[in-house]
Amino acid sequence: MSAPVRVLLVDDQLLVRSGFSLILSVEDDIEVIGQASDGEEAVRLTRELRPDVVLMDVQMPVMDGIEATRRIVADDLARVVILTTFDRDDYVFAGLAAGASGFLLKNADADHLIEAVRAVSGGHALLAPEVTRRVIEQMTNGSVADAQDAPRRDDRDPRLDDLTPRELEVLGLVGRGLSNAEIAGRLFVGEATVKTHLSNVFAKLHLRDRVQAVVLAYEAGLILRGDPEDQPSG
């Protein structure tokens, strides 16, 4: 049996931390190893306890969650999920720019919270389909190409040169928001094969997670505005 996912809870409200702890602690594969009430304490405890996942509030005293996330990710200490009561683009963009692996509203149900921890600990990005498009637009500074402006084959982004044709195909499907299982069905291969291709893509392009892969797919012209498949799956 694999070791449980180690989680650090960060929120300036004790009741919020207690509620999340109660939800997560009943799961056999998740262990809450600590709690912090501000960003500075979060950074310190992350260094000391080395959790797998940090659930991070945004608005806190001493140091906010965005700066704490930036410091934790910069030193590769843990994966971070931003938690907030506000569905605001600036929090999403700032959190992802700081290196967060996901964004979750505090009013998400218990099952969603649990699955978020499991997904992020497994190396997957957590980004709701409804915010994927505007995140991409923001992070690429509106540079996503229109279909009529598709790059010619000889103008391909040099970052893609080391990818095999199959890896390019997988990256393009990730850019459209497909899960590993959906990609496997589309390509008529096993899910383990998709995971292998995706690992190769991440390694060759120095990508941290699927969010970065989506952004690069758009920047490199693999996905075009107006593409009929250019919508993340639900």
Side-chain angles (χ1 to χ4, degrees):
M1 182 177 178
S2 59
V5 179
R6 294 159 51 83
V7 178
L8 176 68
L9 302 176
V10 184
D11 196 290
D12 61 340
Q13 297 183 42
L14 176 59
L15 285 177
V16 172
R17 299 198 307 270
S18 298
F20 286 156
S21 180
L22 185 63
I23 291 170
L24 296 174
S25 295
V26 299
E27 301 299 315
D28 293 337
D29 60 339
I30 297 175
E31 178 186 4
V32 176
I33 61 169
Q35 300 183 24
S37 59
D38 62 65
E40 188 173 272
E41 186 180 19
V43 175
R44 178 177 61 80
L45 288 180
T46 300
R47 293 186 187 281
E48 292 177 5
L49 303 176
R50 292 306 176 102
D52 301 303
V53 176
V54 178
L55 296 181
M56 181 79 72
D57 188 24
V58 174
Q59 294 185 322
M60 295 181 294
V62 185
M63 180 190 296
D64 66 34
I66 303 300
E67 179 58 28
T69 296
R70 184 176 294 109
R71 297 188 185 192
I72 289 170
V73 174
D75 289 341
D76 198 23
L77 300 176
R79 297 181 182 275
V80 179
V81 176
I82 297 289
L83 291 165
T84 182
T85 54
F86 306 104
D87 183 13
R88 284 174 39 179
D89 284 357
D90 54 343
Y91 285 160
V92 178
F93 303 144
L96 294 175
S101 294
F103 176 87
L104 192 66
L105 294 178
K106 288 183 182 178
N107 62 4
D109 59 35
D111 288 343
H112 197 179
L113 176 65
I114 293 165
E115 288 307 312
V117 169
R118 289 172 176 156
V120 170
S121 70
H124 299 291
L126 180 73
L127 193 61
E130 61 269 18
V131 301
T132 299
R133 163 61 75 174
R134 60 185 200 256
V135 167
I136 291 166
E137 293 286 354
Q138 174 76 10
M139 295 184 76
T140 58
N141 296 316
S143 62
V144 179
D146 287 312
Q148 62 267 29
D149 297 324
R152 299 189 308 274
R153 292 285 180 182
D154 56 352
D155 289 340
R156 191 172 75 173
D157 192 303
R159 289 176 293 181
L160 306 178
D161 287 347
D162 291 336
L163 300 186
T164 67
R166 182 61 97 185
E167 289 165 356
L168 275 172
E169 198 169 9
V170 169
L171 177 59
L173 293 173
V174 168
R176 295 187 176 102
L178 273 65
S179 67
N180 286 355
E182 290 169 330
I183 294 172
R186 180 73 64 88
L187 301 181
F188 303 104
V189 298
E191 193 168 346
T193 300
V194 173
K195 290 179 180 178
T196 298
H197 288 313
L198 197 53
S199 294
N200 291 339
V201 170
F202 283 8
K204 289 179 179 180
L205 299 179
H206 308 291
L207 302 175
R208 186 182 62 249
D209 54 36
R210 292 176 93 93
V211 171
Q212 290 191 335
V214 169
V215 173
L216 188 143
Y218 274 79
E219 289 179 338
L222 288 180
I223 311 299
L224 304 173
R225 183 184 293 138
D227 186 331
E229 292 188 307
D230 179 22
Q231 293 298 331
S233 62

